[in-house]
Amino acid sequence: MKKFIALSLFVLLTLSCASAFASLHDNRATIAAQYGEYRFVVDNDNQLWTKAEWEAKGSKRAAANSYVYYFNRNGLNFQMNVQYEGTKPESFVRAQRITPDAGIQIKELKAYLPEIYELATAPEANVFTTANDLSRNFREQGSPVKLAVLVKKQIKRSSTYYTLLAFSIKDEGRLIKDSQSITPDTYIDELILERRLIQESSDSGWSWQKNNVFE
């Protein structure tokens, strides 16, 4: 068992896969089929376990917060933390965080994470910016102005949720304080994919954008 910060020691571990991210329609079984088995588990006390440690004793002592996977896309390593609704193979994805080992620009999203790009540019996608906090799943909150996409298409298994994409963004290491400063050259440090209740999708602090910066 190790501190969560020890994750950085494993950033060079990679797992090649056919898909760049898990969707909210996936479950533990389909994730394993796409990515292979998870490498680590982060428990609710923010402690890190290897897969072997978790299955031998960790799961008897603590509850899992997220399962950690690794993959490589076009030579860039990514870490993916996935939260599930339960512990069974059929448990659906509840949220996920994708972190590249180096920031990618918005204009590079299609090359590195094409499925995320397709989600962000789908007909149901609505781009917005906000100064409000969007997710507790970020490792760091990033710039004061947040960039996000609400995909106003009901998740197939639920009539109460939409999909929210939220991005931790910076401008070559500088924080972004004005939404007008967000361009295709803006860097993405990490992104969150999670469900959002439909009745929460009209937040008064969200500024809907007419121009889709992802296109």
Side-chain angles (χ1 to χ4, degrees), residues 119-191:
L119 195 58
T121 57
E124 301 86 358
N126 295 263
V127 179
F128 66 92
T129 58
T130 183
N132 297 341
D133 290 338
L134 283 172
S135 174
R136 296 180 179 179
N137 290 315
F138 283 122
R139 292 191 302 181
E140 298 180 3
Q141 285 301 316
S143 294
V145 174
K146 284 83 173 178
L147 174 67
V149 179
L150 184 70
V151 184
K152 292 186 175 181
K153 182 177 182 180
Q154 294 175 352
I155 298 172
K156 291 179 181 179
R157 68 178 190 276
S158 172
S159 61
T160 58
Y161 290 108
Y162 287 150
T163 297
L164 176 72
L165 280 171
F167 300 84
S168 177
I169 56 175
K170 290 182 181 177
D171 180 14
E172 295 184 354
R174 294 185 297 272
L175 297 179
I176 296 175
K177 302 177 181 180
D178 182 352
S179 61
Q180 298 301 315
S181 299
I182 301 174
T183 73
D185 293 324
T186 297
Y187 282 85
I188 299 169
D189 285 340
E190 60 182 345
L191 63 91

Side-chain angles (χ1 to χ4, degrees), residues 67-82:
Y67 293 75
V68 185
Y69 304 80
Y70 294 91
F71 63 93
N72 180 279
R73 179 56 65 91
N74 290 337
L76 185 63
N77 299 323
F78 291 82
Q79 176 181 308
M80 182 176 71
N81 290 55
V82 182

